[in-house]
Amino acid sequence: MRAAIIDQPGSIRVGDVPDPNAGDRQLVLKVGATGICGTDLHIADGHFPPTPYPIVPGHEFAGEVVEIGADTPGDWTIGDRVAVDPSLFCGYCTPCRSGHGNLCANWNATGDTVDGAFAEYVAVPASTCYRMPDEMTWQQGALVEPVSCAVHGVRQIGVEAGERFLVVGAGTMGLLMQQLLQRGGAHVTVVDRNEARLGRATRLGAVRVGTDVAELDERFDAAVDCTGAASAIEAAFDSLRRGGRLLVFGVAPAEARVSLSPFRIYNDEIKIIGSMAVLNSYGAALGLVASGAIDTDALLTDTLPLDEFPAALDLMRSGAGLKVQVLPGGVDA
Ligand SMILES: [Zn+2]
Ligand SMILES: [Zn+2]
């Protein structure tokens, strides 16, 4: 089959690899759509430590069941359309056994540490597959994974009706976060240094948009950083009212540090909260996308065939588009 292969950091090609076979309790899918996210850029550059090389990346995907492995529980049928939670938690370590599989000590994920879905076919544990309603498109299915990360993030920070939230970063994750918070009853202000991204936030219901948190001159009940930039995290922190909450959702380099006022954390009882990937949130996210509660179509700007994977990666890197997807099954899939 055709697949995008990263032989080693910086070396990206589309070539032929053996078709995957369904192992025990696995399904093989014919891939319909696969999204590119920042992690794929890190994997391509060698900046995602868990990744072994060579690897076929691709962890945001949906496809059609074409093979069912031995001893697979559930009533799977050839032709079932599924979206896939890439998480591969070990189930044995202390975090897994205490309900925190996303913090697994032996963390793995389809497309991050084992071959993923920038390929015509992919083998995945049946336990990570979720049936899609007939009317849901492959493109929507491939956006369930980022939505499921946002669902976990919203659960981490919590939202109450009428709260004033600040979302920093109007990329795919920021706009998903915005929509989820609005569904929870929040009034959401969205800030992005890239003014071109703010129109979409307004159309999706932001009460206010801006290019600089400091210029807003407003105090928020809670803030979500979706950039991972130290300056953005600091500005979001400084914008909180007393008793406010800050969710650190964007991915910063491991060595990055921020400068926050410990006096304010103490005196104003500021809560700083983290959120890592997906935790029991994939099924909920699929429901939100399927019902139209979360608009993913508004975020998808580019779809390319598999053979143009290197160009798709460059497009993502340039920041010209928002969500870029590859359609390994052909554009009409
Ligand atoms: Zn991702
Ligand atoms: Zn584990």
Side-chain angles (χ1 to χ4, degrees):
M1 67 168 179
R2 301 291 285 169
I5 304 138
I6 300 175
D7 289 302
Q8 53 184 304
S11 163
I12 300 146
R13 66 188 167 95
V14 178
D16 292 308
V17 299
D19 286 1
N21 295 309
D24 290 354
R25 297 170 175 250
Q26 282 193 330
L27 304 175
V28 171
L29 311 180
K30 183 177 194 297
V31 179
T34 308
I36 295 184
C37 99
T39 304
D40 296 307
L41 298 179
H42 295 314
I43 290 172
D45 295 343
H47 297 155
F48 194 70
T51 300
Y53 297 90
I55 189 160
V56 175
H59 62 271
E60 301 180 358
F61 61 103
E64 180 183 333
V65 176
V66 293
E67 190 186 338
I68 301 168
D71 301 323
T72 302
D75 53 349
W76 299 103
T77 318
I78 301 298
D80 281 348
R81 301 169 76 250
V82 299
V84 183
D85 180 349
S87 310
L88 302 172
F89 306 150
C90 81
Y92 295 92
C93 70
T94 300
C96 278
R97 286 158 58 118
S98 57
H100 299 284
N102 59 329
L103 308 181
C104 176
N106 307 297
W107 187 88
N108 279 281
T110 302
D112 293 335
T113 63
V114 303
D115 285 347
F118 289 118
E120 289 180 90
Y121 299 95
V122 62
V124 291
S127 61
T128 64
C129 295
Y130 292 74
R131 267 196 197 81
M132 289 171 27
D134 291 341
E135 62 277 12
M136 206 169 147
T137 65
W138 295 132
Q139 289 92 327
Q140 290 166 343
L143 267 148
V144 173
E145 194 272 346
V147 174
S148 71
C149 293
V151 168
H152 177 54
V154 169
R155 287 176 178 168
Q156 287 288 94
I157 191 168
V159 55
E160 288 181 18
E163 283 194 310
R164 291 159 306 143
F165 263 78
L166 170 69
V167 170
V168 185
T172 302
M173 295 315 307
L175 296 175
L176 290 175
M177 192 56 83
Q178 176 199 342
Q179 293 186 67
L180 277 173
L181 292 168
Q182 288 170 179
R183 282 277 159 185
H187 305 291
V188 183
T189 295
V190 178
V191 168
D192 196 303
R193 285 189 309 187
N194 181 352
E195 199 165 3
R197 292 190 155 179
L198 296 176
R200 201 177 259 104
T202 300
R203 287 193 292 281
L204 289 169
V207 294
R208 196 177 170 194
V209 296
T211 55
D212 184 349
V213 175
E215 280 174 13
L216 296 173
D217 193 27
E218 188 176 341
R219 290 282 166 136
F220 296 93
D221 299 307
V224 180
D225 175 68
C226 297
T227 70
S231 58
I233 293 167
E234 290 163 0
F237 175 88
D238 290 340
S239 77
L240 294 171
R241 67 158 168 83
R242 300 189 77 187
R245 321 187 292 288
L246 172 65
L247 178 67
V248 179
F249 189 77
V251 183
E255 65 278 10
R257 296 291 182 271
V258 291
S259 175
L260 305 178
S261 160
F263 179 78
R264 279 208 70 205
I265 296 172
Y266 146 75
N267 189 60
D268 294 350
E269 293 194 341
I270 305 286
K271 289 191 180 71
I272 300 172
I273 300 153
S275 175
M276 158 60 190
V278 183
L279 181 65
N280 305 327
S281 51
Y282 198 91
L286 193 147
L288 287 162
V289 175
S291 70
I294 299 298
D295 182 352
T296 55
D297 296 347
L299 311 182
L300 182 60
T301 51
D302 301 276
T303 53
L304 284 80
L306 178 60
D307 277 334
E308 290 177 33
F309 177 77
L313 216 52
D314 288 343
L315 196 55
M316 173 74 190
R317 199 186 293 278
S318 75
L322 209 57
K323 177 54 76 177
V324 180
Q325 288 183 347
V326 164
L327 306 179
V331 180
D332 297 330

